[in-house]
């Protein structure tokens, strides 16, 4: 198992030793998931040479005997999508934080099955004689598809050392090259102990979210009023600005029911006897906690008609035309479509069922109550609404293409009355957050 270590140590390498240790662990799912910290037990096996000399560079292997979780019943993880990294602490004759890394190699991991993590390896240059103990510390689990997410895990108790290397005062030559010499070369004994603490502090800050302002609804002027006639030659286009309304959504997602409140505004532009609709989600929804691929999410909505007219109008937005980098604001694009009235009189338009498709999943969000955003004076048109579904046609798919992989509406904290917003991809990352580390043993903590 440690053939590489034997090559590194040459004639000085002693037989490898392997020891297992288990410890209580707390893992923090990706921020986008909204999941609380979770506790479980990690079992690892550390393999290292039993003896070595000062100047040797030894290889150490960290094997996950038992991951502290199962892959929940949410998302199948594909082959070679999971990669572990971590830190192994050296103490005793010398101290160091040894960077450990495993390859992105794993079999397909179905829902409701054990997590399979590759062996991690790291190297330590021995600098002082004596006993060097090796103790597992924090580790990270990265899943890179369909988007990259990290679950960070740290020990919640004092961890016992898993292996000890007995380091003798060898006479290694300068240069620090790996590999032993097959001949005996007498040298003056040296002892130059040094401390090599290492650390990788990181930190990022998220950009702030944009701005929008609501506007009150306005009448269409004297040329676009409610006079008879379905032709459109007597006034051109007339703009109608709806008011911003707070819509309380109840969402059905692959990970359960969620609630969210979002500010929505419906605007219209008269186009002959019909109206071109634009539905806006006011305010930037959130900062992306992970990289989001191009063309991975697509929103749509059924605008509900009331007053004189009845039925719904389908509007939709484009898929995200560019990849969204971690930390950048996530914005919901405008949803557009065409409303052809089916009745004459005063008709109201309210945000209706919102559907988010992304990466093979679908989330449907239904308003808990109807909120009228816009009122229009309408003239009945042939084949108009008047009780039918989808009165008119949607035009929102334009620029983003038709790559609709399906997805989740963003949810948010169930314990708060108002969500940050409905992030188009938050649910997708939520799937990944849950899929990486939802611990089966132990208890959840707040």
């Amino acid at each position: 198992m440690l053939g590489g270590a034997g090559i590194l140590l040459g004639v000085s390498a002693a037989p490898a030793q392997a020891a297992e240790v288990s410890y209580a662990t707390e893992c923090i799912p990706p921020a986008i998931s909204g999941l609380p910290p979770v506790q479980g037990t990690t079992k690892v096996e550390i393999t290292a040479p039993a003896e070595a000399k000062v100047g040797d560079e030894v290889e150490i292997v960290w094997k996950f005997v038992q991951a502290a979780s199962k892959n929940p019943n949410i998302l199948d993880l594909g082959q070679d999508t999971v990669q572990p990294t971590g830190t192994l602490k050296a103490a005793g004759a010398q101290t160091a934080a040894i960077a450990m890394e495993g390859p992105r190699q794993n079999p397909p991991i179905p829902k409701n099955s054990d997590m399979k993590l590759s062996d991690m390896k790291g190297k330590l240059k021995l600098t002082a004689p004596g006993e060097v103990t090796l103790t597992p510390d924090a580790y990270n689990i990265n899943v890179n598809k369909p988007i990259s997410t990290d679950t960070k895990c740290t020990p919640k108790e004092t961890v016992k050392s898993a292996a000890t290397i007995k380091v003798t005062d060898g006479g290694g030559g300068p240069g620090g090259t790996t590999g032993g010499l097959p001949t005996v070369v007498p040298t003056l004994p040296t002892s130059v102990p040094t401390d090599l603490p290492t650390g990788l502090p990181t930190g990022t800050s998220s950009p702030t979210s944009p701005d929008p302002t609501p506007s009150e609804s306005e009448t269409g002027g004297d040329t676009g009023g409610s006079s008879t006639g379905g032709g459109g030659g007597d006034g051109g286009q007339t703009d109608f600005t709806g008011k911003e309304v707070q819509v309380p959504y109840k969402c059905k997602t692959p990970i359960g029911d969620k609630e969210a409140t979002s500010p929505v505004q419906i605007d219209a532009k008269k186009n002959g006897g019909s109206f071109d609709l634009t539905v806006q989600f006011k305010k930037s929804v959130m900062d992306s906690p992970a990289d989001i691929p191009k063309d991975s999410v697509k929103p749509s909505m059924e605008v509900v008609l009331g007053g004189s007219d009845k039925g719904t109008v389908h509007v939709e937005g484009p898929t995200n035309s560019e990849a969204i980098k971690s930390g950048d604001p996530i914005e919901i694009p405008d949803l557009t479509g065409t409303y052809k009235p089916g009745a004459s009189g005063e008709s109201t338009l309210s945000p209706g069922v919102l559907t988010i498709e992304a990466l093979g999943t679908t989330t449907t969000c239904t308003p808990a109550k109807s909120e009228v955003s816009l009122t229009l004076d309408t003239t009945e048109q042939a084949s108009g609404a008047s009780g039918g579904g989808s009165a008119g046609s949607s035009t929102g798919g334009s620029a983003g293409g038709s790559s609709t992989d399906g997805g989740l509406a963003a949810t948010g904290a169930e314990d708060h009355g108002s969500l940050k917003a409905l992030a188009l991809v938050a649910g997708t990352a939520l799937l990944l957050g849950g899929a990486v580390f939802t611990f089966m043993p132990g208890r959840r903590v707040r």
Side-chain angles (χ1 to χ4, degrees), residues 42-60:
T42 301
K43 292 184 180 181
V44 301
E45 181 181 273
I46 302 298
T47 302
E51 297 180 1
K53 296 186 303 180
V54 171
D56 286 339
E57 186 177 57
V58 297
E59 184 177 69
I60 304 162

Side-chain angles (χ1 to χ4, degrees), residues 293-299 316-323 333-336 357 395-405 424:
K294 175 183 177 181
D295 290 334
S296 58
V297 291
K298 184 177 179 67
E316 63 182 40
T319 57
N320 53 309
S321 59
E322 296 182 355
D334 291 348
L335 313 182
T336 58
E357 295 181 338
T395 60
S398 57
S402 57
S403 169
T404 60
D405 282 291
L424 296 181

Side-chain angles (χ1 to χ4, degrees), residues 307-384:
S308 299
D309 211 350
K310 305 296 178 186
T312 58
V313 180
H314 182 76
V315 294
E316 63 182 40
T319 57
N320 53 309
S321 59
E322 296 182 355
I324 304 172
K325 293 185 178 298
S326 177
D328 287 352
I330 300 174
E331 298 180 9
I332 296 181
D334 291 348
L335 313 182
T336 58
T338 301
Y339 164 42
K340 182 182 289 187
S344 298
E346 194 174 77
S347 302
T348 62
L349 290 81
S350 304
V353 174
L354 171 69
T355 300
I356 309 294
E357 295 181 338
L359 302 163
T361 62
T362 300
T363 286
T364 302
C365 298
T366 303
K369 64 177 180 178
S370 180
E371 298 284 353
V372 175
S373 174
L374 182 63
T375 300
L376 296 172
D377 289 332
T378 58
T379 301
E380 181 179 352
Q381 304 293 305
S383 303

Side-chain angles (χ1 to χ4, degrees), residues 124-405:
L124 175 66
K125 182 71 175 285
L126 301 173
T127 60
E131 291 189 346
V132 176
T133 60
L134 303 172
T135 305
D137 195 40
Y139 60 94
N140 182 77
I141 308 298
N142 175 265
V143 174
N144 70 344
K145 291 182 181 180
I147 61 176
S148 179
T149 58
D150 291 297
T151 295
K152 301 182 183 298
C153 303
T154 54
K156 298 306 292 182
E157 64 177 334
T158 300
V159 184
K160 297 178 180 179
S161 62
T164 300
I165 303 175
K166 184 177 292 185
V167 183
T168 59
D169 190 7
T177 57
T178 58
L181 295 174
T183 60
V184 178
V185 181
T187 59
L188 292 176
T190 60
S191 177
V192 187
T194 58
D195 292 334
L196 300 174
T198 61
L200 297 173
T202 59
T204 57
S205 60
S206 298
T208 56
S209 299
D211 40 277
T213 56
S215 48
E216 297 295 326
S217 53
E218 61 187 38
T219 61
D222 55 0
T223 57
S226 56
S227 57
T228 59
D234 62 344
Q237 295 185 338
T238 303
D239 292 339
F240 300 86
T241 302
K243 67 177 181 179
E244 179 183 311
V245 292
Q246 298 292 325
V247 183
Y249 279 109
K250 293 188 174 181
C251 300
K252 297 288 186 181
T253 83
I255 59 170
D257 295 346
K258 302 290 179 180
E259 294 183 359
T261 298
S262 282
V264 184
Q265 180 176 315
I266 301 175
D267 298 332
K269 180 173 295 214
K270 197 168 191 296
N271 187 358
S274 299
F275 295 88
D276 295 330
L277 302 184
T278 299
V279 178
Q280 296 178 313
F281 282 81
K282 312 298 283 186
K283 303 178 183 177
S284 174
V285 291
M286 65 184 298
D287 295 334
S288 175
D291 292 340
I292 299 168
K294 175 183 177 181
D295 290 334
S296 58
V297 291
K298 184 177 179 67
S300 63
M301 177 188 284
E302 303 304 315
V303 175
V304 178
L305 303 174
S308 299
D309 211 350
K310 305 296 178 186
T312 58
V313 180
H314 182 76
V315 294
E316 63 182 40
T319 57
N320 53 309
S321 59
E322 296 182 355
I324 304 172
K325 293 185 178 298
S326 177
D328 287 352
I330 300 174
E331 298 180 9
I332 296 181
D334 291 348
L335 313 182
T336 58
T338 301
Y339 164 42
K340 182 182 289 187
S344 298
E346 194 174 77
S347 302
T348 62
L349 290 81
S350 304
V353 174
L354 171 69
T355 300
I356 309 294
E357 295 181 338
L359 302 163
T361 62
T362 300
T363 286
T364 302
C365 298
T366 303
K369 64 177 180 178
S370 180
E371 298 284 353
V372 175
S373 174
L374 182 63
T375 300
L376 296 172
D377 289 332
T378 58
T379 301
E380 181 179 352
Q381 304 293 305
S383 303
S386 191
S390 200
S393 60
S394 63
T395 60
S398 57
S402 57
S403 169
T404 60
D405 282 291

